[in-house]
Amino acid sequence: MEEFHKVRRLPPYVFEQVNRLKASARAAGADIIDLGMGNPDLPTPQSIVDKLCEAVQDPRTHRYSSSKGIPGLRRAQAAYYARRFGVKLNPDTQVVATLGSKEGFANMAQAITAPGDVILCPNPTYPIHAFGFLMAGGVIRSISVEPDDTFFGPLERAVRHSIPKPLALILNYPSNPTAQVATLDFYKEVVAFAKKHDIIVLSDLAYSEIYFNDAPPPSVLEVPGAIDIAVEFTSMSKTFSMPGWRMGFAVGNERLIAALTRVKSYLDYGAFTPIQVAATQALNGDGSDIAEVRNIYKRRRDVMVESFGKAGFDVPPPAATMFAWAKIPEKFRHLGSLEFSKLLVEKADVAVAPGIGFGEQGDDYVRLALVENEHRIRQAARNIKKFLSTADETMHNVISLNAHR
């Protein structure tokens, strides 16, 4: 039977191939160290869990909730933006709660996209940035992910040669998967460019609080006038170790937020009210929970960079996010990221995310998630060192390690 139209527009899910291999290895008794999926292993802070338990005891919270988020939650998110970024938001018209930033992004695509609309999207990037718009009937034009002066030349050409004119520009800094961080000066240029060409800016700021230097990543909404054309998506998944809770936000331009809110009103009743109550407490907290999570990821990052480097697998230290973006060792680069990722599962008991899953420009790389403790990360490095040091002998009859793509 022929695939349905929207399903046909989606490529095979690259990560599923690694996941199947990982599951098969585990079923056979292998101890797979999973650095693939960005699924935080840290527990949600106890104060947030306690608030959930308290709220769920009230039968009134068991009824349908508010699709756009309960008022207290939207006020807490607005207060967070005021403290963190100095951005003033109206919680009634410029904030909507989402079921994680992924759902918010996908439904924003549904809300604003007409068939054939052109979307400017970084490559590589988190898959929903492109596929949310593909499912909505849009067309993706890839742009650079580098947040520097080289970003704007290709961007100008993309606008000049796109018919129809692009509807929206997607930003994702700190970037998943590349971990690059943008500056406020970069955002100023982006906003000026977007206003000049009448383009919507959609910024994914899911990793705003996972940074490892003294310069917290900025928000595009800090730029004067950005709210005229921009919406930003955030998530509590990484910041508060709440991935399964599915709690996020979209904030910014009133017209765009109203469009997203209207689409969501037809599709969901919002997150379970006790989750929203607990999320409100988290956002109104003193920030100590966030600082603790950040420090844990920083220690893991340092251990990974050091131990993998000693193993012969160079991992540049990421400035932010819970990921490292590492180039495949030269000897294996001709295989591509998917085959190299499979090899790591089969030969080193280590799972990583193949870069091709984030776009064709990522095929020379793999993404490493900081979701195992320091001991397990060191063990992964030892496994990889053994694999790399014996590959010539153990794989000479399987592949040519000197071949080139």
Side-chain angles (χ1 to χ4, degrees):
M1 295 179 65
E2 187 178 3
E3 289 278 16
F4 295 108
H5 170 69
K6 287 193 175 183
V7 175
R8 284 203 311 270
R9 301 199 76 198
L10 298 174
Y13 194 56
V14 169
F15 306 114
E16 185 56 33
Q17 297 187 47
V18 178
N19 290 341
R20 282 200 300 268
L21 196 61
K22 181 174 63 180
S24 176
R26 281 177 167 160
D31 178 20
I32 301 297
I33 301 171
D34 194 353
L35 308 177
M37 186 177 178
N39 191 5
D41 64 311
L42 302 175
T44 304
Q46 191 60 46
S47 61
I48 301 174
V49 176
D50 290 343
K51 192 65 178 179
L52 171 73
C53 294
E54 175 189 324
V56 82
Q57 297 301 321
D58 184 347
R60 292 173 298 178
T61 68
H62 301 177
R63 306 181 72 183
Y64 289 129
S65 192
S66 168
S67 178
K68 69 183 295 185
I70 60 176
L73 178 61
R74 286 182 280 112
R75 287 195 297 268
Q77 175 68 352
Y80 162 74
Y81 257 77
R83 292 192 309 271
R84 174 69 165 79
F85 303 112
V87 173
K88 185 177 180 181
L89 296 168
N90 183 332
D92 294 324
T93 60
Q94 295 176 321
V95 179
V96 60
T98 61
L99 305 178
S101 58
K102 186 174 183 179
E103 175 268 318
F105 225 97
N107 278 327
M108 179 62 82
Q110 294 292 331
I112 69 175
T113 310
D117 276 344
V118 175
I119 308 299
L120 303 172
C121 182
N123 189 340
T125 195
Y126 186 54
I128 196 62
H129 297 155
F131 298 133
F133 283 95
L134 285 173
M135 285 187 283
V139 176
I140 298 300
R141 180 153 191 155
S142 294
I143 58 171
S144 171
V145 72
E146 303 287 341
D148 55 26
D149 292 340
T150 66
F151 181 87
F152 294 96
L155 189 61
E156 285 278 6
R157 290 193 294 274
V159 171
R160 191 181 313 127
H161 297 295
S162 293
I163 299 175
K165 178 183 70 66
L167 170 71
L169 166 64
I170 297 170
L171 302 176
N172 176 211
Y173 303 107
S175 169
N176 176 9
T178 69
Q180 291 162 301
V181 179
T183 65
L184 191 56
D185 285 341
F186 171 79
Y187 282 143
K188 289 177 181 177
E189 290 190 62
V190 167
V191 170
F193 178 91
K195 286 196 166 189
K196 174 184 175 182
H197 295 285
D198 191 26
I199 294 174
I200 295 165
V201 173
L202 301 176
S203 170
D204 185 344
L205 193 64
Y207 296 91
S208 60
E209 299 301 344
I210 310 299
Y211 58 91
F212 307 125
N213 53 37
D214 296 328
S219 161
V220 69
L221 296 178
E222 292 180 55
V223 178
I227 204 155
D228 297 337
I229 45 94
V231 164
E232 196 154 63
F233 298 84
T234 58
S235 168
M236 302 188 73
S237 295
K238 280 73 179 182
T239 303
F240 294 98
S241 300
M242 297 171 65
W245 299 56
R246 307 314 302 137
M247 196 74 254
F249 301 91
V251 306
N253 178 264
E254 288 189 8
R255 177 170 173 257
L256 294 169
I257 293 297
L260 173 59
T261 302
R262 185 170 181 182
V263 166
K264 281 178 58 61
S265 71
Y266 283 91
L267 299 176
D268 69 68
Y269 285 106
F272 186 37
T273 297
I275 290 177
Q276 296 193 47
V277 172
T280 301
Q281 172 163 304
L283 287 168
N284 287 333
D286 61 7
S288 58
D289 291 333
I290 300 174
E292 182 178 355
V293 167
R294 186 186 302 130
N295 288 334
I296 291 172
Y297 284 133
K298 185 177 187 298
R299 290 195 297 272
R300 291 180 178 183
R301 177 203 68 163
D302 294 343
V303 167
M304 177 177 285
V305 169
E306 179 188 12
S307 61
F308 275 54
K310 289 180 179 178
F313 190 176
D314 183 46
V315 176
T321 77
M322 55 185 292
F323 304 113
W325 184 240
K327 207 158 197 177
I328 299 169
E330 178 66 34
K331 183 183 292 187
F332 300 90
R333 208 166 295 161
H334 67 281
L335 297 174
S337 59
L338 179 56
E339 293 306 315
F340 179 69
S341 299
K342 290 179 179 179
L343 275 180
L344 287 186
V345 174
E346 293 173 341
K347 305 294 185 180
D349 290 343
V350 175
V352 299
I356 189 67
F358 304 96
E360 66 273 13
Q361 297 301 318
D363 202 21
D364 284 341
Y365 295 81
V366 292
R367 192 194 69 179
L368 308 163
L370 303 172
V371 293
E372 295 269 13
N373 63 40
E374 295 170 34
H375 169 75
R376 297 277 285 173
I377 291 171
R378 289 192 178 95
Q379 182 61 56
R382 288 192 291 270
N383 292 2
I384 289 173
K385 182 178 182 178
K386 181 179 179 181
F387 163 60
L388 294 178
S389 65
T390 61
D392 287 331
E393 291 75 30
T394 60
M395 299 182 61
H396 68 278
N397 62 340
V398 180
I399 56 172
S400 172
L401 296 182
N402 295 316
H404 295 282
R405 276 185 288 173

